[in-house]
């Protein structure tokens, strides 16, 4: 005869209390701001891919085998959608999930933040609870327990219904404009896409915004309805609560910090850059050529900056300076500095200008500034003049506009300092026509210049929108001439070196070794032993590796 549910809960609870050494705490929003049924329901997202008139353009896993992403197209209009697919729970599994969830909420008390020790203890508690339930339900298959475990960890330690989106390395931004409106994402390949994830009620969305605030260790309420904070993992969240300042209700935007950022191989694969041009920039990074990355908001300047900085020699000492920590480099000798706003009363601010100044004390080989906007640009150019290399981004749509900004207030760079920049590139968001004649967004490095002098810029590469093709002309390259003077190598030898690096990059793309760690591994291997690396890779390595 089976035990009644209340008796079972008491039995399991007493066993947990006897085996427990200490209480663990979790953000308090889940327990206090939503009812048990609301907190424990597992949302079943509406799937567009099963409808008539829709087709799946691309699919890839994010949490195998429990969650995957489908890019779905409406064949009539050509509109694309971002579909989150999660393996569903049966009615029996859902009931077990609710009971385990209730036990976990009873077992764990609230705290302000999720530390590493607390997370691990929560996992141990979850395993202990599930083991006891497995004794109670011996006929439930192991696959069911794996599914339940996924949802428990998703809802307790992850971001709930948006956890698969957070796990997607191609997503840059996640935004919600209110209840009963689709969540929008910014996809690195497809740009802005509506998703099939929707918060159906104001209460559900309010509870999720509170969850985000508590995960960030911050407070948001009717009295303080605006939030600007950093989530675990480095994600930046901006949110409003209820209808205090946003007429549609709570809203949020999350700028994701990617554990696996866009690589130079991804950029080749997406068609953002050609392999010839990528090899040229690899050689430029190898010899610490000062580089300026231009573009408008959302063009992909920071992603390009990160991809190029990944090509630096692992022996270089690099200092990065940012407003928000977004860069991720595969270098051991790397110092990451982040500016800090002032406290209440205006004291305690640490600006980019101060950080660029202090970075010179670190004796860096390369100084990377996330973006120059003010007087920090002058200090950066001063450091370049004293022998350091620099890489930075700037809001501008051409080399002429960039120089005008640099030489005007508040940056005030002397015109005589402009030739300290070796290379400038422009990245743009463009619109392409696909094979069916439909418009598709893309990002392209449309122009690359080498700086001869103030007002004298040599265009060495250009993207042709009519043919969707890159034209690269390096016969009179100033950068190659400087590298030739530094190394004693002839231009012919440098062109052979470019061909070898191009071959390796194309092999990395062909073998789909495009992740951040894979690309960093092969780049570093090449620096250590080019001949051996080419033999392991494009010369004798299999494309199917």
């Amino acid at each position: 005869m089976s035990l009644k549910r209340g008796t079972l809960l008491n039995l399991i609870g007493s066993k947990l209390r006897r085996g427990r050494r200490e209480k663990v705490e979790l953000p308090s929003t889940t327990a206090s701001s939503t009812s048990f049924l609301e907190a424990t329901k597992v949302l079943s997202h509406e799937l567009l891919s099963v409808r008539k008139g829709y087709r799946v353009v691309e699919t890839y896993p994010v949490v195998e085998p429990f969650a995957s992403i489908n890019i779905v197209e409406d064949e009539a209009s050509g509109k694309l959608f971002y579909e989150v697919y999660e393996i569903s729970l049966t009615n029996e599994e859902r009931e077990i999930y609710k009971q385990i969830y209730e036990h976990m909420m009873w077992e764990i008390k609230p705290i302000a933040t999720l530390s590493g020790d607390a997370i691990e203890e929560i996992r141990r508690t979850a395993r202990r609870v599930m083991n006891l339930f497995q004794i109670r339900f011996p006929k439930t298959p192991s696959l069911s327990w794996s599914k339940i475990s996924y949802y428990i960890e998703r809802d307790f330690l992850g971001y709930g219904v948006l956890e698969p989106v957070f796990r997607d390395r191609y997503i840059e931004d996640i935004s919600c404009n209110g209840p009963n409106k689709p969540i929008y994402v910014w996809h690195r390949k497809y740009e802005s896409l509506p998703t099939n994830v929707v918060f159906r009620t104001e209460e559900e969305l309010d509870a999720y915004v509170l969850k985000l605030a508590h995960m960030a260790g911050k407070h948001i309420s009717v009295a303080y309805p605006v939030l600007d904070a950093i989530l675990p993992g480095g994600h930046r969240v901006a949110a409003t609560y209820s209808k205090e300042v946003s007429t549609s209700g709570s809203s949020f935007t999350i700028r994701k910090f990617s554990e696996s950022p866009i690589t130079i191989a991804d950029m080749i694969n997406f068609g953002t850059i050609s392999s010839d041009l990528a090899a040229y920039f690899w050689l430029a990074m190898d010899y610490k050529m000062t580089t300026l990355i231009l573009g408008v908001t959302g063009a992909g300047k920071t992603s390009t900056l990160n991809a190029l900085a990944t090509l630096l020699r692992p022996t270089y000492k690099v200092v990065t300076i940012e407003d928000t920590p977004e860069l991720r480099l595969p270098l051991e000798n790397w110092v990451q500095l982040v500016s800090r706003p002032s406290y209440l009363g205006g004291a305690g601010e640490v600006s980019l200008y101060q950080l660029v100044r202090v970075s010179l004390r670190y004796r860096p080989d390369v100084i990377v500034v996330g973006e120059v906007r003010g007087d920090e640009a002058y200090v950066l150019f001063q450091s370049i003049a004293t022998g350091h290399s620099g890489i930075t981004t700037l809001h501008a749509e051409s080399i002429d506009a960039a120089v005008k900004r640099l030489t005007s207030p508040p940056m005030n760079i002397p015109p005589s300092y402009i030739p300290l920049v070796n290379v400038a590139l422009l990245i743009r968001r463009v619109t392409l026509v696909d094979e069916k004649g439909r418009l598709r967004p893309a990002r392209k490095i449309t122009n690359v210049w080498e700086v001869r002098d103030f007002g004298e810029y040599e265009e060495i590469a250009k993207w042709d929108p009519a043919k969707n093709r890159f034209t690269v002309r390096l016969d009179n390259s100033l950068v190659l001439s400087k590298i030739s003077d530094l190394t004693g190598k002839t231009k012919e030898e440098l062109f052979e070196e470019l061909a070898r690096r191009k071959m390796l990059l194309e092999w990395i793309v062909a073998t789909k070794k495009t992740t951040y760690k894979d690309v960093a591994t092969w780049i570093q291997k090449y620096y250590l032993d080019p001949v051996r690396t080419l033999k392991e890779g494009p010369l004798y390595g299999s494309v199917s590796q």
Side-chain angles (χ1 to χ4, degrees):
M1 184 175 178
S2 62
L3 291 170
K4 291 184 179 179
R5 181 167 179 259
T7 308
L8 175 64
L9 298 184
N10 291 332
L11 174 61
I12 295 177
S14 63
K15 289 185 178 182
L16 288 171
R17 285 192 294 272
R18 287 197 298 269
R20 185 180 63 215
R21 293 183 178 178
E22 58 179 342
K23 293 269 188 181
V24 187
E25 300 179 344
L26 193 70
S28 58
T29 39
T30 318
S32 61
S33 57
T34 130
S35 71
F36 170 72
L37 289 178
E38 290 172 339
T40 59
K41 67 181 181 181
V42 181
L43 295 183
S44 177
H45 308 302
E46 182 183 3
L47 298 179
L48 298 172
S49 55
V50 299
R51 289 185 183 180
K52 187 177 180 181
Y54 290 83
R55 72 180 184 94
V56 176
V57 176
E58 183 179 356
T59 183
Y60 52 90
V62 286
V63 187
E64 290 189 286
F66 305 108
S68 60
I69 302 301
N70 299 323
I71 305 299
V72 181
E73 180 187 43
D74 182 345
E75 293 182 312
S77 64
K79 185 177 179 180
L80 295 178
F81 297 87
Y82 182 93
E83 181 181 87
V84 176
Y85 171 78
E86 289 182 291
I87 192 167
S88 59
L89 297 177
T90 64
N91 290 334
E92 181 186 359
E93 292 166 350
R94 192 182 298 261
E95 182 61 30
I96 296 173
Y97 165 84
K98 288 179 180 179
Q99 293 184 34
I100 293 174
Y101 191 102
E102 187 178 62
H103 264 289
M104 292 290 293
M105 292 308 301
W106 174 85
E107 177 73 10
I108 300 170
K109 286 191 174 180
I111 57 168
T113 58
L114 281 172
S115 65
D117 291 340
I119 289 173
E120 188 54 40
E121 185 62 29
I122 290 168
R123 288 199 175 106
R124 284 197 293 267
T125 303
R127 286 194 293 267
R128 193 162 66 247
V129 172
M130 290 187 65
N131 287 338
L132 291 170
F133 270 89
Q134 284 174 341
I135 296 171
R136 173 65 181 88
F137 299 100
K139 294 184 179 180
T140 305
S142 58
L143 175 60
S144 295
W145 292 111
S146 298
K147 289 158 64 177
I148 293 168
S149 177
Y150 162 73
Y151 278 103
I152 288 293
E153 183 156 337
R154 184 199 80 165
D155 293 339
F156 268 94
L157 299 175
Y159 291 93
V161 294
L162 292 180
E163 179 68 10
V165 186
F166 275 88
R167 296 285 193 99
D168 188 347
R169 66 184 292 260
Y170 295 108
I171 297 302
E172 294 182 1
D173 290 275
I174 307 167
S175 61
C176 175
N177 302 323
N180 285 313
K181 296 179 181 180
I183 301 290
Y184 275 79
V185 296
W186 185 275
H187 196 283
R188 286 171 173 169
K189 187 175 180 181
Y190 301 99
E191 298 204 344
S192 182
L193 297 173
T195 74
N196 62 327
V197 182
V198 179
F199 291 101
R200 296 296 179 188
T201 65
E202 291 183 10
E203 293 74 20
E204 189 180 352
L205 179 54
D206 290 347
Y208 195 82
V209 169
L210 284 171
K211 176 185 174 72
L212 293 176
H214 284 242
M215 291 184 76
K218 299 292 184 180
H219 173 75
I220 190 169
S221 64
V222 172
Y224 300 95
V226 178
L227 173 71
D228 185 2
I230 297 179
L231 293 164
H235 314 299
R236 190 73 179 260
V237 59
T240 62
Y241 183 69
S242 192
K243 294 185 177 180
E244 300 304 312
V245 291
S246 50
T247 56
S248 298
S250 294
S251 64
F252 62 82
T253 297
I254 298 168
R255 179 74 179 268
K256 265 190 63 191
F257 175 78
S258 178
E259 289 292 328
S260 182
I262 288 290
T263 64
I264 196 72
D266 286 322
M267 294 178 70
I268 296 171
N269 195 31
F270 295 159
T272 304
I273 191 173
S274 68
S275 55
D276 298 274
L277 203 49
Y280 165 81
F281 279 114
W282 184 2
L283 195 65
M285 294 300 105
D286 189 359
Y287 290 96
K288 298 187 290 188
M289 294 294 149
T290 299
T291 304
L292 192 60
I293 301 169
L294 312 177
V296 299
T297 302
K301 299 186 298 298
T302 303
S303 296
T304 304
L305 174 64
N306 201 111
L308 295 185
T310 304
L311 302 175
L312 292 167
R313 276 189 179 269
T315 54
Y316 290 159
K317 180 167 187 176
V318 179
V319 176
T320 60
I321 301 161
E322 307 167 81
D323 278 325
T324 302
E326 295 179 284
L327 298 177
R328 184 172 174 83
L329 306 183
L331 305 172
E332 290 185 3
N333 201 2
W334 167 39
V335 179
Q336 187 175 31
L337 303 178
V338 182
S339 65
R340 186 183 71 185
S342 61
Y343 298 118
L344 292 176
E349 179 185 6
V350 181
S351 65
L352 291 179
Y353 170 77
Q354 292 171 293
L355 293 177
V356 174
R357 285 184 61 188
V358 78
S359 70
L360 300 178
R361 301 296 183 188
Y362 286 76
R363 298 181 64 185
D365 293 299
V366 182
I367 301 173
V368 180
V369 181
E371 181 187 347
V372 289
R373 294 184 294 265
D375 48 7
E376 69 276 356
Y378 184 82
V379 182
L380 177 63
F381 272 78
Q382 286 282 1
S383 66
I384 295 170
T386 58
H388 303 282
S389 175
I391 312 173
T392 189
T393 71
L394 182 71
H395 277 80
E397 290 196 82
S398 68
I399 183 68
D400 291 318
V403 171
K404 286 176 183 176
R405 280 203 66 196
L406 288 170
T407 54
S408 303
M411 290 188 250
N412 296 314
I413 305 298
S416 59
Y417 278 22
I418 296 301
L420 294 174
V421 176
N422 301 121
V423 187
L425 68 90
L426 175 64
I427 183 166
R428 282 179 170 162
R429 291 170 55 194
V430 299
T431 303
L432 301 178
V433 180
D434 67 11
E435 64 278 0
K436 293 185 178 180
R438 290 170 298 203
L439 299 179
R440 290 284 182 258
R443 286 169 175 165
K444 298 285 182 181
I445 292 179
T446 58
N447 306 84
V448 180
W449 302 273
E450 294 180 344
V451 180
R452 184 181 296 275
D453 202 347
F454 177 72
E456 295 183 39
Y457 319 114
E458 304 292 336
E459 187 176 70
I460 57 113
K462 187 175 183 179
W463 174 68
D464 183 352
K467 298 179 181 179
N468 190 18
R469 183 184 304 168
F470 293 92
T471 303
V472 183
R473 300 180 298 273
L474 298 177
D475 294 335
N476 299 315
S477 169
L478 299 173
V479 166
L480 293 185
S481 296
K482 289 180 180 179
I483 295 173
S484 178
D485 293 339
L486 286 170
T487 61
K489 294 180 179 179
T490 64
K491 281 282 189 73
E492 289 72 22
E493 289 175 315
L494 292 179
F495 281 125
E496 290 175 2
E497 178 63 24
L498 287 173
R500 288 190 288 270
R501 298 190 184 206
K502 173 187 174 182
M503 180 169 56
L504 179 59
L505 289 171
E506 289 179 342
W507 179 81
I508 289 172
V509 173
T511 54
K512 298 182 180 179
K513 301 179 185 297
T514 59
T515 66
Y516 165 78
K517 291 183 179 179
D518 285 339
V519 171
T521 298
W522 284 96
I523 295 296
Q524 292 181 11
K525 277 185 176 181
Y526 187 86
Y527 278 128
L528 293 173
D529 193 337
V531 175
R532 180 179 176 182
T533 303
L534 291 175
K535 287 181 179 179
E536 289 180 4
L539 292 182
Y540 303 111
S542 171
V543 174
S544 61
Q545 280 184 339

